[in-house]
Amino acid sequence: MSKGIVHYRTGDSLDSYFLIKTAMKGTASNGKPFLTLILSDNTGEIEAKLWSCSPEDEATFKSKEIVHIIGELSEFRGKNQLKINSIRPTTAMDNVKIADFIRSAPISPEEMLEKVTQYIFDMRNANIQRITRHLLKKHQDAFIESPAATKNHHEFVSGLAYHVVSMLDLAKSISVLYPSLDTDLLYAGIILHDLGKVKELSGPIDTQYTIEGKLLGHITIMVNEIGEASKELGIDGEEVLILQHLVLSHHGKGEWGSPKPPLIREAEILHMIDNVDAKMNMMDRALERVQPGEFSDRVHALENRSLYKPSFHEKPLDI
Amino acid sequence: MSKGIVHYRTGDSLDSYFLIKTAMKGTASNGKPFLTLILSDNTGEIEAKLWSCSPEDEATFKSKEIVHIIGELSEFRGKNQLKINSIRPTTAMDNVKIADFIRSAPISPEEMLEKVTQYIFDMRNANIQRITRHLLKKHQDAFIESPAATKNHHEFVSGLAYHVVSMLDLAKSISVLYPSLDTDLLYAGIILHDLGKVKELSGPIDTQYTIEGKLLGHITIMVNEIGEASKELGIDGEEVLILQHLVLSHHGKGEWGSPKPPLIREAEILHMIDNVDAKMNMMDRALERVQPGEFSDRVHALENRSLYKPSFHEKPLDI
Amino acid sequence: MSKGIVHYRTGDSLDSYFLIKTAMKGTASNGKPFLTLILSDNTGEIEAKLWSCSPEDEATFKSKEIVHIIGELSEFRGKNQLKINSIRPTTAMDNVKIADFIRSAPISPEEMLEKVTQYIFDMRNANIQRITRHLLKKHQDAFIESPAATKNHHEFVSGLAYHVVSMLDLAKSISVLYPSLDTDLLYAGIILHDLGKVKELSGPIDTQYTIEGKLLGHITIMVNEIGEASKELGIDGEEVLILQHLVLSHHGKGEWGSPKPPLIREAEILHMIDNVDAKMNMMDRALERVQPGEFSDRVHALENRSLYKPSFHEKPLDI
Amino acid sequence: MSKGIVHYRTGDSLDSYFLIKTAMKGTASNGKPFLTLILSDNTGEIEAKLWSCSPEDEATFKSKEIVHIIGELSEFRGKNQLKINSIRPTTAMDNVKIADFIRSAPISPEEMLEKVTQYIFDMRNANIQRITRHLLKKHQDAFIESPAATKNHHEFVSGLAYHVVSMLDLAKSISVLYPSLDTDLLYAGIILHDLGKVKELSGPIDTQYTIEGKLLGHITIMVNEIGEASKELGIDGEEVLILQHLVLSHHGKGEWGSPKPPLIREAEILHMIDNVDAKMNMMDRALERVQPGEFSDRVHALENRSLYKPSFHEKPLDI
Amino acid sequence: MSKGIVHYRTGDSLDSYFLIKTAMKGTASNGKPFLTLILSDNTGEIEAKLWSCSPEDEATFKSKEIVHIIGELSEFRGKNQLKINSIRPTTAMDNVKIADFIRSAPISPEEMLEKVTQYIFDMRNANIQRITRHLLKKHQDAFIESPAATKNHHEFVSGLAYHVVSMLDLAKSISVLYPSLDTDLLYAGIILHDLGKVKELSGPIDTQYTIEGKLLGHITIMVNEIGEASKELGIDGEEVLILQHLVLSHHGKGEWGSPKPPLIREAEILHMIDNVDAKMNMMDRALERVQPGEFSDRVHALENRSLYKPSFHEKPLDI
Amino acid sequence: MSKGIVHYRTGDSLDSYFLIKTAMKGTASNGKPFLTLILSDNTGEIEAKLWSCSPEDEATFKSKEIVHIIGELSEFRGKNQLKINSIRPTTAMDNVKIADFIRSAPISPEEMLEKVTQYIFDMRNANIQRITRHLLKKHQDAFIESPAATKNHHEFVSGLAYHVVSMLDLAKSISVLYPSLDTDLLYAGIILHDLGKVKELSGPIDTQYTIEGKLLGHITIMVNEIGEASKELGIDGEEVLILQHLVLSHHGKGEWGSPKPPLIREAEILHMIDNVDAKMNMMDRALERVQPGEFSDRVHALENRSLYKPSFHEKPLDI
């Protein structure tokens, strides 16, 4: 496979494989059908139009198919677009597989799982430890491959686990500076806070909200699961209530989805760490192809800001 | 017992029994201790000062004691105040009991319980019916004596049950007009929506928020209980999820405490009916002693409005 | 006429009459003119493109013309679109009339008028009764055919009258439950609250705001009319002021168009009933073609929510 | 009469006449009654306590009585308070009258009325001129003595007329700079915009909101009056609608009491001029006793700001 | 040159010169490239499509080129569009120059500069005068040709100077009416308030924000410059601080870009005058082609209002 | 000196020295003057009333005097109050000094200064390093003793330096986890972000806002100083602009006092770290005397929340 799609510039020719993420049919102004394809590889995605397509084309070029394309990078209304010169479906002969076209966390699932497990192992409060371990084990497979969101941040395979691991490390170094924090609570809160997403979202590819996700949301789902888990484990100390509160309040306030604001020190810090990690992820992403002395595109999830890369900072390595 | 405290006017003499709701000690500007008493009967409450009180007075005139007072209604900074001429504790000889001094719903607990039970009996969806019956039975005793709030509306003994019964009747007549409503869902939603208050609030007298109430709130508490109940009953149809959504969304939006807005027809109507009944209760209360052609005091929970009683409306009956 | 447009699915062929609601000329990317037609029948509307149209086409296919079309239901950017295979204007021979292509209230105008008249007849306060009767009579013809809005809810022929009749029935059943309500005031408020729309809107087809509608609005228009009516009738009791207040405050607060919030019990209930009826109408509309277990499109006027139809609810009857 | 009350400083002795604005009875912590008096002269007002007052005192020292006081200016919780050494009611012998104790506009009523009349005289559009003249004449007596508000700005005798005259002069000089403005409309809008206050407020002394004022407000009252006036005068040009719109929109937006925002050039300017004049009046008032290099008290109606008087500005003249 | 572009109506033929403001390449649905041109003259601008353009066309028809076009005014989605029948680049033979195609202030730069200089000359406070003169001189060339904004109001050559001159005249006539205003401060504040725009914006043609403009903004830039100027001039009176405050606070509040609200009388008036002049400019612009009895398009910067021109007002002169 | 004031409970007798923070005179309801004293030691403060005080008392018991008191801890309206049995001024014989009664940072000024200096020493970008060192040196004495605020957080002697040191350590550990951060920028931003407070606030005891503080604020003050410093040092790289942006944007958004939001990665992290450290400080303070299983008082600066200490957490050490 050649270099990834994000590394091309307007005017470049390309000859590559892509995964079709979505394919939408439309009717052109000359009355003929065409397809709008969102093509992706593991570095990003790009839109392409397949003009005057036949019914066979429609049947062939569908979501989740890998195709081979020869074309050229052009621009339309200020956005990159791929001009298709030739396109064909792939066969076993091409020796390509979906996994190679999907963005995922920079650490392996096994390594991340081991790290989380170690944090649980180090807990001293048995109630907190048992509930956390129980719920992680219950959802382990989904946890390890789930994205953390459908868009905005950590929206890739294993994004959820990667977000959790980053937050745990952040929590650890902050706890050293503020010794009044109860690390058992803080680590447990981090591990559980978004775990409900394994039921809120449909999985790592073409991620959608489930019905339960839309009607209850990952916060309520996980608060319920903590209650259930403690029933099953026969635990009824105040730790149960506190863990539920940590999950419940981690969005910070009502209009952001938390019916109660953080009322425990560790809940407040959990909310802030969540924010720090999400924003660092979004900002790194927004700036990854920006040249020194230039501004990024506007980022909706960062209050529509357009970020700046100072002129004395280094150029992106890959260009 | 003479006429209730709300029926006295400035300058009236009175000779009555009262329940001490709260007693607070202070120090007067002459350096002597005094007590601020909130005295109540089943029509309302009034503040009184007991100047220059002795340590014995402090020990005697405490919260939840019934006292006999001879005094006079005066006014201080635009608010009524009771001027105490004589005060004494009561004994068995006085033949008074706390229940007589507490405001409660105008219908008997038994009657209300029967009514709610009938609504459950009429449900046709077995899953909805069983979950609702199970949870009502589980919390029946608390449900029947709990207030619906610590203040603002239905904040009296059995206030919760009274609020629920009013809403059920309202829902019934609305459903006749809008036949697309699923009455099973709507009735179940009404019965369950505030049931978490039996754990959020401390009980009918001197009502306080519990720790669980402050950290999770009645909405989350009841959503959890619905999940648990369905586990115990072996029910796993979508009805469980929908009932949880009804309770979860009944405050209407995030900043009012619902992490999800109503997404089901019945959830929206539940939210609106809740509002109608609460507001009618608050408005009736605010206007009950207002003369035709005059405005009520400002009511904080009604967006600080001061309500008007048209001059062609009848005078309050009891004056 | 065949089944209505809302009952077709993508791929269906159709051979039907439609009313052209609007026709807009554009220039295609090949430089040729085309027409965008909004076609409607009494079940809904659909967009169609007439490519490469001649000047004669433009003159023929105009707003308010009925046409006969043979075509096919296709999809463009996730929205239905009608692909025109043939189109022709209609003549007397087709035996079609505009009235058959317009959505209207499910009850006849005569029936609705009789119902409103009965409510007025039952009023006991002569001042309220005379003002209400006077204004209804004055605007009776427009009232009976006006929509209640240009979009969102009750935006069809006789929509206003239908909205008023629903609210009256709702008010009647609520008043039984809350006897402190003055039904004369409440019914009069309902009948008058939106009556100013007969001057704010341009009429039932292709509804627009009038200049007076934009500069004053239906609330101010009707408050003025109540003042004028009472002058003409020689009535000067406080009822005039109260009726004006009911109309003035029925949007609930300043940012929703009411310079005064409801300060009378009946004004508050009027505001809430208005809301209940409008929302039921919008929700029924949004869900009418949604399958059980699925979500509706987002509805702007319902705070952009996408509503859910539980999987155990019935399928729409007409599919 | 000696210098006005605003010119005294803490510790000063004084021997003056005052008008009692309000008198409120309270009970001191020693159980004895006392009076809280708000005393005023034409420069401002001050609070005083009359301790251990007798029933005769209560009957004598009432609202709207003029009293003679010997006392001393002291301070209580950061606010000035008048310490009463002796107080006595006045008689004909004292030769004092209420008018001398009330703040009023710096120009005479006659002069202001003449000025407004001249502006009307200069109008070229007969419809606008006739409506404006008719309404001014109708409310002339009340207009000339009404305050413009109960507090915040121009809350003195003839405050309304003074506010209108200032705005007219301001409008005149602005119109010279922006010739696209229609001065007939602008002047008429200014003269009518607050005229409804003659019915919204109870009059110049101890100003209160009337029932009509609370339920409709001065904006709606005057919009109605313009409609009525044009009926009586037989005028039905668009001028009527535009004048109503000017009054309706002069608060600028919904949450400030205008159901329609300004949609005419003159309406926008009217709103802005109203603001400029009100703010200048409030700021001059707030700074009138502030020394150069110091800040004023916080002013609620100026978004709670505390204004600064630069150190190179002059001292207040009267100190 | 023929009449300006704003004076054409749909269907008109035209044969004119235009300045290409921007040229953007796109791909049509038939796969061929086309150019979207924004064409301008000194009365306004219009969009045009150049279909099926060759690489030579792309190279020829670029931003800042003057072209000659024969075409026709058509309409697309409710907006005017220019249909190009023929287009050619211009040469020296055409005898056209860029300056003739750019909108600018109605007064000459020299005249405006003289006016501002006179206002400075009249100042009595030497510190204020020297700082103002120093900064004006420093930025004089840019000041005299800078627009006041990239869009919304005064977005033309010399727009900044024109805005300042209008505000000065407005301030002068207001100061006559409110003698407590310090005109030295007010005039200096007006001259300096937007002067930072000479560094915030890139200049009069194709105006963009500079990096400094995006990261600091014109307010902070000018506050810094005032500090620097007073250092250089050896001035350290409180005037420096006050001038900085005037500039700092002139947007009125935090969410509008001023970290401190106006705390000086002159700062408040500066903010209001800025508003009056900007709004008059926007309203005149919005209404300049609107016929009496009609509404303008919605104006985003005027809270999305659509303004009305009363039917008794005059028609635009140029139609 | 005995144990600190925060360690006493209602009913405890005490015999201690206190620093009078403020003394306010009032008049009791018996007409006699009294003093309200705010007494402090290095653990906290308490209110006391000195009834019937003589003119000599007033002259003796003033702000910043140390007194010896024998008394008793009582309660008034739910707040602690000190009942004074005897009070006397202190003399040299008492051997007490103000410094012992003032709360200060837990690390010595020298140690903090050394730490900050080391962070500067480690910077690799010479421009950033020189500007930061220059400004720290310029304000070193004030920096080392200034509080970080007048209330809410770090409002004690050296609070500013302590806040900066905590943030630096936090930044260091976060930078390890997010290697894309430029630590030079981040450390410089932290050291400078609040340095303007040395001019915004009046100093460590009885901290007030200065005139410059009120009219410009610490953000604008420091942005100006950075500009000046770079002039003096002859630095004009983009680092100057970026450092100004870091300080300018550190409050996050307009309504919180930053005219530009953070547009650089390090600016966003600076804002978040500032928040984390301030909140940890406030929460630790709020919870320091709360028993496990109980809630703190409401904290205004924490959105009025009342924080909870879980029942399985340890008791405060000092009780």
Side-chain angles (χ1 to χ4, degrees), chain D residues 264-283:
Chain D
I264 308 276
R265 225 177 329 220
E266 292 74 19
E268 179 76 8
I269 291 297
L270 168 59
H271 168 59
M272 294 177 111
I273 287 177
D274 191 12
N275 227 337
V276 168
D277 189 57
K279 292 226 167 137
M280 276 307 305
N281 186 270
M282 284 189 274
M283 291 190 295

Side-chain angles (χ1 to χ4, degrees), chain C residues 181-239:
Chain C
L181 291 169
D182 176 334
T183 51
D184 286 359
L185 271 181
L186 188 51
Y187 297 158
I190 290 170
I191 294 166
L192 301 177
H193 84 292
D194 271 356
L195 190 52
K197 290 199 170 169
V198 303
K199 289 170 104 174
E200 186 188 43
L201 303 177
S202 62
I205 305 178
D206 193 18
T207 314
Q208 304 293 334
Y209 282 88
T210 60
I211 293 177
E212 193 177 359
K214 284 181 179 171
L215 297 185
L216 297 185
H218 69 277
I219 285 186
T220 300
I221 290 170
M222 191 44 45
V223 171
N224 292 356
E225 293 241 345
I226 293 171
E228 236 175 66
S230 52
K231 275 265 147 70
E232 287 182 36
L233 298 169
I235 296 173
D236 64 355
E238 200 183 66
E239 288 89 347

Side-chain angles (χ1 to χ4, degrees), chain B residues 211-232:
Chain B
I211 293 175
E212 194 177 358
K214 284 182 179 170
L215 296 186
L216 297 184
H218 70 277
I219 283 185
T220 300
I221 290 170
M222 189 46 45
V223 171
N224 292 357
E225 292 240 346
I226 293 170
E228 233 175 71
S230 51
K231 275 263 147 72
E232 287 182 36

